[in-house]
Amino acid sequence: MVKRLPELKDLVKAIGRPLRVATMCSGTESPLLALDKIGAATGQIYDAPLGVDHVFSCEIEPFKQAYIERNFAPPILFRDIRELDGDQATTAYGALVDVPGNVDMLVAGTSCVDYSNLNNEKKDIDEAGESGQTFRGMMTWIKKHEPPIVILENVCGAPWDKIAERFRQQGYQADYTRLDTKRYYIPHTRTRVYLVAVRKNPGETFIPADFPTEFKAIGSLASKEVKDKEGNAKKMKPTGKKLVNRLSEDADVAEQKARPPHTGPHTTAFAW
């Protein structure tokens, strides 16, 4: 997939430093695993490895906290996303520490329990359920620190129109699409909705109008071989390049370069 997006080389060089990433409701930290693979591929293909600075994680389940600590050792592992609206929050070890805000990209998957089709007593995003509380905790941190890029994942039954509108109210361009993991090199069927939000100034546009189509086109190319009428493999032109171009335009790059580097002990440029 990285071969089909040569603009990633320009993006890595334009940023000029590791990408500062935070995760909330971190689970198995699959975004960091994916970024590892992307970094390896950009290094091998374009001689421009994407580095990642893991700023913090946030996970409330003790067994997942243990998994994250063993496998990723984040500089900070917060316990509860609902506490991240303040200047300080409690870690998984019970310490009270400052909440970082110097982040380029936030990846989150807030609680889905109140949106699940298996729940007979669903609650809306504005109610006092777990899903609404975790979403509002995340949005309060976003409103305070304004990360340039946010990626949010949740079940298909979540109120996605409302969620996208909340991001727009905070000055983001936001769009979402439904995807199945089996179309992206993962041997597992897991249909979820993913929202991408990009911080913008009035009049700016970063996410193309055909955003869902472009993402699905990348997936279909990755998961199956397309053949012509004679049965020969057919080359198809990928359509996902526009999104990379939009996300790497001058406004985002300037904002990222203007921020001071994170000084935590876990800055890593992956060398593969």
Side-chain angles (χ1 to χ4, degrees), residues 5 20 107 143 146 170 175:
L5 295 171
R20 291 186 288 268
V107 186
K143 181 178 179 180
E146 300 182 344
Q170 298 300 325
D175 201 354

Side-chain angles (χ1 to χ4, degrees), residues 107-158:
V107 186
T110 54
S111 174
C112 66
V113 64
D114 295 316
Y115 310 140
S116 173
N117 291 329
L118 299 177
N119 189 345
N120 294 325
E121 298 180 1
K122 295 182 181 180
K123 295 181 181 179
D124 191 65
I125 197 171
D126 295 314
E127 296 184 65
E130 182 179 307
S131 296
Q133 291 179 26
T134 55
F135 175 77
R136 291 192 295 274
M138 176 195 70
M139 288 303 298
T140 304
W141 181 90
I142 290 171
K143 181 178 179 180
K144 184 175 182 179
H145 298 291
E146 300 182 344
I149 301 172
V150 179
I151 299 175
L152 180 64
E153 173 269 347
N154 214 309
V155 294
C156 301

Side-chain angles (χ1 to χ4, degrees), residues 9-272:
K9 176 181 179 180
D10 298 330
L11 177 65
V12 172
K13 291 187 175 181
I15 295 174
R17 55 166 174 74
L19 189 70
R20 291 186 288 268
V21 179
T23 62
M24 297 183 186
C25 298
S26 305
T28 59
E29 294 287 22
S30 56
L32 295 177
L33 295 173
L35 286 169
D36 277 3
K37 296 296 185 183
I38 293 171
T42 58
Q44 182 179 7
I45 298 168
Y46 304 123
D47 194 28
L50 174 66
V52 174
D53 179 1
H54 185 184
V55 181
F56 70 84
S57 297
C58 183
E59 175 56 54
I60 200 167
E61 292 288 352
F63 73 94
K64 293 181 182 178
Q65 293 171 355
Y67 163 84
I68 292 169
E69 186 62 45
R70 280 197 306 270
N71 293 283
F72 300 92
I76 306 173
L77 175 53
F78 289 111
R79 178 185 176 277
D80 194 338
I81 191 174
R82 295 169 295 184
E83 294 183 10
L84 299 183
D85 57 346
D87 294 331
Q88 293 187 317
T90 307
T91 70
Y93 300 99
L96 193 64
V97 302
D98 293 341
V99 177
N102 189 14
V103 171
D104 297 317
M105 182 168 69
L106 169 68
V107 186
T110 54
S111 174
C112 66
V113 64
D114 295 316
Y115 310 140
S116 173
N117 291 329
L118 299 177
N119 189 345
N120 294 325
E121 298 180 1
K122 295 182 181 180
K123 295 181 181 179
D124 191 65
I125 197 171
D126 295 314
E127 296 184 65
E130 182 179 307
S131 296
Q133 291 179 26
T134 55
F135 175 77
R136 291 192 295 274
M138 176 195 70
M139 288 303 298
T140 304
W141 181 90
I142 290 171
K143 181 178 179 180
K144 184 175 182 179
H145 298 291
E146 300 182 344
I149 301 172
V150 179
I151 299 175
L152 180 64
E153 173 269 347
N154 214 309
V155 294
C156 301
W160 286 104
D161 287 339
K162 281 189 176 182
I163 292 171
E165 182 57 31
R166 298 296 169 85
F167 276 95
R168 295 178 189 122
Q169 291 171 359
Q170 298 300 325
Y172 286 81
Q173 183 186 4
D175 201 354
Y176 60 89
T177 189
R178 177 174 172 168
L179 303 172
D180 191 334
T181 57
K182 71 174 181 287
R183 298 177 64 86
Y184 298 87
Y185 289 115
I186 301 173
H188 171 60
T189 294
R190 187 177 178 86
T191 303
R192 293 292 185 270
V193 173
Y194 297 84
L195 177 142
V196 175
V198 182
R199 183 82 182 171
K200 70 182 188 68
N201 295 318
E204 288 181 325
T205 300
F206 292 100
I207 302 175
D210 54 352
F211 156 75
T213 303
E214 293 198 2
F215 259 73
K216 289 177 181 178
I218 295 173
S220 63
L221 286 169
S223 61
K224 65 181 180 181
E225 184 179 57
V226 179
K227 296 184 178 180
D228 59 22
K229 293 180 180 180
E230 286 72 35
N232 300 314
K234 180 181 178 182
K235 291 185 177 180
M236 294 184 66
K237 183 178 179 181
T239 60
K241 297 181 179 180
K242 190 186 298 182
L243 181 59
V244 174
N245 289 337
R246 296 299 177 91
L247 295 181
S248 62
E249 286 184 5
D250 290 343
D252 263 344
V253 174
E255 183 175 359
Q256 291 167 341
K257 286 189 173 181
R259 298 181 178 210
H262 176 62
T263 57
H266 290 78
T267 299
T268 305
F270 297 106
W272 303 87

